[in-house]
Amino acid sequence: MKKIKIFSNRIKKYEILIDFDLLNKINIFSKIENNHKIMFITNDFLFKKYFRYIIKKNINNLYYKYYIIPDGEFSKSINILNNIITALLNFNYNKKTYLIAIGGGVIGDLTGFVSSIYLRGIKYVQIPTTLLSQVDSSIGGKTAINHALGKNMIGTFYNPEFVFTDTKFLYSLPNKELLSGIAEIIKYSLILDYNFFIWIEKNIFKILKLDKKTILYCIKKCCTLKSLLINKDEKDLNIRNILNFGHTFGHAIEAFMGYGNWTHGESISAGMIIASKLSFKLNKITYLELNRIKNLILMFKLPIKGPSNMKFNDYINYMNRDKKNSINSNNKININLILLEKIGKAKIVNDININDIKYAIKNH
């Protein structure tokens, strides 16, 4: 079993436990105090397939209910948020409450946000079930719901009590969801660890086949890399921003296409190529490095181009609304972008000439 510790504000700490068949090896409910109520939040598919697997360990006679949300990105909405809060109030859930998220990034983000605002804050636990959530969204304490004008525009920083990462869930993932997580894995290597990038190049087929040892190593590596940034910059004020590599362009794609029509990983994959192309245009990476990045993404059959009907102005319109950005009136756009200095190292750049951004978008 792999364990990683995250330190929030260098005071509160929580563990990420990672293993295959983890929920058969430990009783997660032994970590929840007596006299606490539990509300599980999940979707219909996961409830039917895994709920009994999760609760078959002794639940310590804890009082629990469950709330089923619709599958998909549209559930990260103010309406679903309100419905969950209404259910908690109807069942008289008080401060002694744990919310347990069983699902991917949508369920995890939504559950974390509800936890942060219900009665001014209650405890929650993450049980991530997708590769994307296991390597990225379940850790770091970012919670959010979407707005029609932008992704993750309404949210908080609020940390879970525990993250229980059981890789057994991955073996029922649709291929699209698996690839969505792989895009984030590639991101970690590009911004933080060249040797990890080489490792991915050498282990493409083992990753795709979900080889148990390979996947465990991969998830642990990503969580370790992310934890290093979180422990330095919990609230995204500086260095943690490099985790947004490819995301400014990717979030624009998601919003333009309508949430759910392109997966997060597909959008970020195309976004990383645009950001890499921009890095090349600004002489930060070589043509050889750019081609290695493209080739790796293509080996996983992830997109290297955005939607064919999405034009430069569409990207700019959505990027202007991105929560990380601001605009000035000259020919340079004061948008914070994460660019590569080389494979394995990234930095935050702004005041980029609009023509360079146009080149990267039109020529990726």
Side-chain angles (χ1 to χ4, degrees):
M1 186 186 303
K2 311 294 184 183
K3 290 186 179 181
I4 297 169
K5 290 186 177 180
I6 304 288
F7 293 87
S8 168
N9 288 329
R10 304 187 184 278
I11 299 173
K12 177 183 175 180
K13 63 182 180 181
Y14 61 96
E15 285 186 337
I16 306 166
L17 279 67
I18 309 167
D19 205 353
F20 176 78
D21 209 27
L22 174 71
L23 301 184
N24 259 333
K25 296 175 180 177
I26 64 169
N27 179 7
I28 64 172
F29 302 107
S30 67
K31 298 180 179 292
I32 295 177
E33 301 97 320
N34 289 329
N35 302 317
H36 277 62
K37 297 179 177 181
I38 297 173
M39 173 76 84
F40 295 95
I41 298 177
T42 189
N43 63 34
D44 188 59
F45 170 80
L46 292 168
F47 177 79
K48 289 176 179 175
K49 189 169 183 65
Y50 288 116
F51 191 65
R52 292 299 165 192
Y53 168 69
I54 291 169
I55 68 165
K56 67 183 177 184
K57 290 287 183 179
N58 179 18
I59 200 167
N60 295 340
N61 297 316
L62 292 166
Y63 174 88
Y64 73 88
K65 298 276 185 183
Y66 50 84
Y67 191 90
I68 307 298
I69 69 169
D71 193 22
E73 190 75 25
F74 286 105
S75 284
K76 282 177 64 171
S77 68
I78 194 73
N79 289 335
I80 299 295
L81 173 79
N82 184 65
N83 291 344
I84 294 171
I85 290 174
T86 300
L88 289 168
L89 290 170
N90 284 337
F91 289 120
N92 297 315
Y93 274 79
N94 55 26
K95 289 286 286 186
K96 288 188 172 184
T97 294
Y98 272 81
L99 297 188
I100 300 182
I102 306 170
V106 169
I107 291 171
D109 284 5
L110 177 63
T111 302
F113 188 44
V114 174
S115 302
S116 72
I117 61 174
Y118 184 70
L119 301 179
R120 299 187 178 91
I122 57 176
K123 294 178 178 180
Y124 78 108
V125 172
Q126 292 269 18
I127 303 179
T129 61
T130 65
L131 184 58
L132 175 59
S133 61
Q134 291 187 357
V135 300
D136 191 69
S137 62
S138 68
I139 58 174
K142 280 188 175 182
T143 81
I145 58 174
N146 298 330
H147 189 278
L149 297 181
K151 185 178 174 70
N152 296 333
M153 285 294 181
I154 308 165
T156 58
F157 289 90
Y158 196 72
N159 291 291
E161 300 299 304
F162 305 98
V163 179
F164 298 111
T165 297
D166 189 336
T167 59
K168 184 174 183 176
F169 292 116
L170 302 181
Y171 295 87
S172 62
L173 270 186
N175 190 59
K176 263 196 164 191
E177 291 300 325
L178 176 64
L179 293 176
S180 199
I182 288 172
E184 290 286 353
I185 290 168
I186 293 171
K187 178 199 75 175
Y188 282 110
S189 73
L190 289 174
I191 63 174
L192 289 168
D193 194 325
Y194 176 64
N195 289 329
F196 187 37
F197 182 86
I198 295 173
W199 180 87
I200 296 170
E201 287 181 317
K202 292 179 178 178
N203 289 276
I204 291 169
F205 298 109
K206 285 186 176 181
I207 294 169
L208 287 171
K209 289 180 179 179
L210 291 177
D211 174 77
K212 288 179 184 177
K213 288 184 179 180
T214 302
I215 288 297
L216 278 173
Y217 170 81
C218 199
I219 294 171
K220 181 178 183 293
K221 182 69 173 179
C222 292
C223 291
T224 300
L225 290 171
K226 185 168 185 177
S227 69
L228 293 174
L229 294 178
I230 294 167
N231 292 337
K232 291 178 182 178
D233 177 24
E234 183 196 5
K235 296 199 172 177
D236 231 356
L237 300 175
N238 196 334
I239 188 65
R240 182 173 172 173
N241 272 287
I242 68 170
L243 291 168
N244 294 317
F245 177 67
H247 283 58
T248 299
F249 299 109
H251 284 170
I253 292 171
E254 284 186 276
F256 176 82
M257 292 300 292
Y259 297 122
N261 290 311
W262 272 50
T263 68
H264 179 72
E266 288 170 334
S267 303
I268 299 314
S269 178
M272 289 192 295
I273 292 297
I274 298 174
S276 298
K277 188 73 175 179
L278 182 57
S279 301
F280 167 72
K281 180 70 169 61
L282 298 176
N283 299 313
K284 293 178 180 295
I285 63 171
T286 67
Y287 188 70
L288 177 62
E289 287 177 302
L290 177 60
N291 274 342
R292 281 183 74 185
I293 296 166
K294 282 184 179 179
N295 289 336
L296 182 59
I297 287 175
L298 284 171
M299 286 296 291
F300 286 107
K301 298 183 179 179
L302 282 159
I304 60 170
K305 292 182 179 292
S308 59
N309 62 331
M310 190 172 181
K311 308 304 180 187
F312 170 72
N313 285 339
D314 297 321
Y315 282 93
I316 295 301
N317 287 339
Y318 281 102
M319 287 162 62
N320 287 351
R321 295 170 181 159
D322 194 297
K323 59 189 176 298
K324 298 175 284 295
N325 303 331
S326 58
I327 303 297
N328 59 31
S329 58
N330 58 30
N331 202 38
K332 290 187 175 182
I333 301 182
N334 186 21
I335 292 178
N336 288 333
L337 291 173
I338 313 306
L339 301 183
L340 298 177
E341 294 192 309
K342 59 182 180 180
I343 295 176
K345 186 177 181 182
K347 69 179 295 185
I348 304 166
V349 180
N350 54 27
D351 284 332
I352 298 172
N353 190 291
I354 192 169
N355 291 321
D356 291 330
I357 297 177
K358 184 181 291 187
Y359 170 87
I361 289 172
K362 287 190 171 183
N363 292 278
H364 76 286

